Amino acid sequence: MSKKATEFQKKSMSKMYRGTGIFKPLNTGWIDSQVACVREWVANIFFYRKGDTTLMIDAGYNYDRLEEKMGWLGIAPAEIQHIFITHQDTDHVGAVEADGPGLFRNAKLYIGEIENRYLTGEVRRKVIYHLYKLPQVTIPNEKELLQDEQVFYINDIKIECFLVPGHTWGHMVYLLDGKYLFTGDTIWFGADGGYSFISGLAEDNKLAVRSLAALEEKLNARRLRPMFLTGHTGWTENFEFAFAHKDKLCSPFKKRVPDPTAPYDAYDEADDTERKARTERLRGVGQ
C-alpha cells in the first residue's frame, strides 16, 4: 500500500498544509562528518556513519529518487544492513514496505515492540483527529523488536531506545553514541523553538506532551546534551530551544510564531540539489 499512500499524501497534504509553514525539511546533505540526511519532499531520512558501518534512521516514502539522492552523499543502498524505525507511518517506512522499491531487502529493521502492533494488525493507525484510518503496513524484512530504555551495540555504535508515545502508540526515539538523538515525529521546530508534534496527526496529544516532558527529564537526569534531529523540520544542539514549548502542540489552525524561512509548499523540492548536497553543510536552528 505504500505507493498509493505516498501519492495520496503528496497530493492531499501538499494542499492541506500549503502556506502554513508546518513543514521545513532539511535538504539532502551532510550535517557533520557522521550524520547525513536525504530529503523526500517533507520527510528527513538520516544516516549515521562510523567506521565501516552506516545505520539508516527511518525509511521515508515509497520514493523513486531515494537511491539517486543517497548517491549524492556517497552512500549505496547495499551498505545499509540496519534500519531503525521511529514509527510505522507511510512517510517513515515506505521504502521497506512490501510494494516498495526493494533497495533494502537484506537490511534488518529495528522497531519498538508496541509500535509493531500496527504491523501485526492488532491496532490501526488513526490520523486527522482520528477521522481517517491508514492502511495496514506490510514489511517483509527481518525485524528486531525493542524495549523502552534498551541499550545495545552494533559494532562499536551504542544505541539507546526511548519510548515516546503519543504521535503513535509505540513511537521510539534513538540516541546514538550519546551524541545524536533522532526524534522522528515527537518534536516540531518552529522559529521560536520545539513543540509537541502536529496535533492532527497524533493518536493522543495529551500523552504526546507528557512523553516529551518525560524525555526531557531523562536527558536532564543524565546531563545529556545531544544533537536533536527531527523527522520534518531541522536539527539543533540547543537543548533549551528543543524543549522550549514542550507543553504546547503544533497546530496549523491556531496562532503560533511562523517561520518565515519555511517553504510555501514543502513538497516542492526545487531547492534540494546535488550541487548543494556535495558542497554545503546543513545548518541547524536555534543556535
Side-chain angles (χ1 to χ4, degrees), residues 47-215:
F47 299 88
Y48 181 71
R49 176 175 280 174
K50 186 176 182 182
D52 295 329
T53 304
T54 302
L55 307 183
M56 182 172 172
I57 298 89
D58 282 332
Y61 288 102
N62 188 331
Y63 180 79
D64 58 9
R65 297 185 64 196
L66 177 54
E67 185 171 15
E68 172 196 351
K69 290 188 177 182
M70 288 176 66
W72 299 355
L73 303 172
I75 301 173
E79 291 181 52
I80 306 302
Q81 299 299 310
H82 307 278
I83 303 176
F84 287 81
I85 301 298
T86 60
H87 62 295
Q88 63 84 62
D89 284 353
T90 300
D91 52 338
H92 293 259
V93 297
V96 292
E97 284 198 51
D99 68 337
L103 297 174
F104 311 106
R105 294 206 188 280
N106 296 322
K108 185 176 182 179
L109 261 62
Y110 301 81
I111 190 167
E113 182 180 44
I114 296 174
E115 192 70 10
N116 190 60
R117 295 173 188 171
Y118 290 111
L119 305 182
T120 62
E122 295 173 65
V123 292
R124 288 286 298 277
R125 177 74 169 108
K126 298 176 183 178
V127 295
I128 316 299
Y129 301 101
H130 288 192
L131 297 175
Y132 180 72
K133 287 184 179 181
L134 296 181
Q136 185 177 344
V137 169
T138 301
I139 298 176
N141 295 60
E142 177 189 356
K143 303 176 190 69
E144 181 169 331
L145 304 186
L146 305 173
Q147 304 286 334
D148 184 26
E149 301 194 25
Q150 183 173 341
V151 181
F152 62 103
Y153 286 81
I154 293 177
N155 296 330
D156 62 344
I157 300 173
K158 182 180 181 181
I159 299 105
E160 298 182 68
C161 313
F162 297 97
L163 178 65
V164 189
H167 180 70
T168 63
W169 296 122
H171 195 297
M172 281 280 190
V173 302
Y174 300 105
L175 180 65
L176 302 188
D177 286 330
K179 298 178 181 179
Y180 301 92
L181 186 68
F182 296 91
T183 66
D185 290 0
T186 58
I187 301 177
W188 176 89
F189 288 155
D192 59 340
Y195 292 71
S196 183
F197 197 71
I198 301 171
S199 57
L201 303 178
E203 295 279 16
D204 187 325
N205 282 305
K206 290 182 179 179
L207 176 60
V209 168
R210 293 197 302 271
S211 295
L212 197 54
L215 177 64

